[in-house]
Amino acid sequence: MSFAHEALICAAGRRGDHTTADMARRLGVPYLTVYRWVTGRNTPGPAGLAAIERTYGLTAAALFSRTAAA
């Protein structure tokens, strides 16, 4: 499974959050945490996923996709 950070960025943009700092402020998490999510370095844990769903309406199912094996 891979984390669809593009979906998070798009959902944030629709709410008017165009920077990582805007997203961090609205989500109530540290800037560096959101930076790592949007760059694909880390994926959100349960608390982060709950904040994303509550704030942007994205479920875990929408944020994680299964990649087909070659």
Side-chain angles (χ1 to χ4, degrees), residues 21-55:
D22 292 338
M23 293 170 65
R25 197 170 15 262
R26 190 180 301 264
L27 288 166
V29 299
Y31 167 84
L32 190 55
T33 299
V34 176
Y35 173 79
R36 288 177 178 151
W37 294 344
V38 299
T39 59
R41 293 176 192 237
N42 285 355
T43 59
L49 288 171
I52 291 168
E53 185 171 2
R54 186 173 48 252
T55 304

